Amino acid sequence: MDKFEELEENIKIKFKNIDLLQQAFSHRSYLNENPRWRLGHNERLEFLGDAVLELVVSEYLFKKFPNEPEGFLTSLRASLVNAETLADAANNLNFNKYLLLSRGEAKDLGLGRRYILANTFEALLGAIYLDSGYKKCQQFVEENLINVYLEEILKEGRYRDAKSLLQEKAQAEINVTPVYKTLNEWGPDHAKHFQVGVYLGDKLISEGEGTSKRLAEQEAAKKALETWQSLEEDLEKQKKDQIDK
């Protein structure tokens, strides 16, 4: 049994066209090192899978919460389809074992790998859609994403927007509005990455990275909230020091 047959068993889906499955796991970097690879990279499948994922999750939430407003559904969907949750779902399915990467990318097990895993989850969904249709996509997403993470997201309140929460807390407790600044950006146009810092006054309190400025800002806000107590203590100490002077 080759590894893609093993992958089919792992995800409980038998592909009629195995090329679609292999392409879903073919990262652009792999093609750079293997120009004779007979398939393309997975970015077009990722584009399709992203749209399918949004529809599947939107439909599920629409039916699951018939009395909730649009804003709640949007926030909950964002928590389910963000890169962090998708990377966790991909890890649960052991996607790392099946990725086709360049030697350089294969060594990177940090944040960059998590983005690759999240993108591969979407690419796989695009491949499932082309090979087996929408119903199979619904089944896959419900089993491997919604049923695994929705209850946890609701229980922990993770669907609430981190930027809004940080602004509420900062304005209420220290009367300061957070400001976000782009610190760095890199990568080609099709795969940009951004590093954003969030400031309270002149103090940089946390940084975040993401494939868009919006995602990087959310990550920075989330980190700031996680360390809020110590940040608040530092700011109070600074104020006291200034008064003493």
Side-chain angles (χ1 to χ4, degrees), residues 94-147:
N94 203 22
F95 278 12
N96 272 310
K97 184 175 181 180
Y98 310 104
L99 289 172
L100 297 176
L101 303 168
S102 68
R103 288 186 294 273
E105 285 289 355
K107 293 176 183 176
D108 179 9
L109 299 176
L111 184 62
R113 175 60 63 85
R114 288 186 63 78
Y115 283 123
I116 289 174
L117 286 169
N119 293 341
T120 301
F121 188 97
E122 292 180 335
L124 174 60
L125 199 59
I128 295 170
Y129 177 78
L130 292 175
D131 195 73
S132 301
Y134 181 70
K135 289 293 184 184
K136 185 65 75 172
C137 292
Q138 283 182 303
Q139 180 183 348
F140 178 79
V141 170
E142 288 181 21
E143 288 182 0
N144 297 290
L145 187 70
I146 295 172
N147 293 347

Side-chain angles (χ1 to χ4, degrees), residues 3-174:
K3 70 177 185 178
F4 285 102
E5 290 175 336
E6 180 183 286
L7 176 57
E8 286 180 308
E9 287 195 358
N10 190 18
I11 63 176
K12 301 174 186 175
I13 297 175
K14 183 68 176 176
F15 271 74
K16 296 184 285 290
N17 181 1
I18 195 68
D19 284 356
L20 285 169
L21 179 60
Q22 292 179 343
Q23 186 171 350
F25 281 76
S26 300
H27 188 255
R28 176 182 284 270
S29 66
Y30 183 79
L31 273 69
N32 292 339
E33 284 190 357
N34 299 272
R36 294 185 179 180
W37 177 236
R38 59 192 179 81
L39 302 173
H41 54 71
N42 64 3
E43 289 168 16
R44 283 173 53 85
L45 287 174
E46 177 195 338
F47 165 80
L48 177 60
D50 175 67
V52 174
L53 178 63
E54 288 255 339
L55 180 56
V56 169
V57 173
S58 297
E59 181 182 356
Y60 181 93
L61 296 178
F62 183 85
K63 293 176 178 177
K64 175 76 172 175
F65 302 101
N67 299 316
E68 294 291 349
E70 180 268 345
F72 171 83
L73 299 177
T74 298
S75 297
L76 197 52
R77 180 182 63 193
S79 296
L80 277 166
V81 305
N82 67 27
E84 185 176 346
T85 308
L86 294 183
D88 285 343
N91 263 327
N92 285 343
L93 291 165
N94 203 22
F95 278 12
N96 272 310
K97 184 175 181 180
Y98 310 104
L99 289 172
L100 297 176
L101 303 168
S102 68
R103 288 186 294 273
E105 285 289 355
K107 293 176 183 176
D108 179 9
L109 299 176
L111 184 62
R113 175 60 63 85
R114 288 186 63 78
Y115 283 123
I116 289 174
L117 286 169
N119 293 341
T120 301
F121 188 97
E122 292 180 335
L124 174 60
L125 199 59
I128 295 170
Y129 177 78
L130 292 175
D131 195 73
S132 301
Y134 181 70
K135 289 293 184 184
K136 185 65 75 172
C137 292
Q138 283 182 303
Q139 180 183 348
F140 178 79
V141 170
E142 288 181 21
E143 288 182 0
N144 297 290
L145 187 70
I146 295 172
N147 293 347
V148 178
Y149 297 103
L150 179 57
E151 184 177 345
E152 177 183 310
I153 287 169
L154 286 167
K155 183 178 179 181
E156 296 179 1
R158 281 163 38 196
Y159 60 90
R160 297 191 65 194
D161 178 77
K163 285 181 66 178
S164 298
L165 285 172
L166 179 62
Q167 181 165 317
E168 289 173 13
K169 186 177 282 288
Q171 289 177 338
E173 297 184 17
I174 59 175

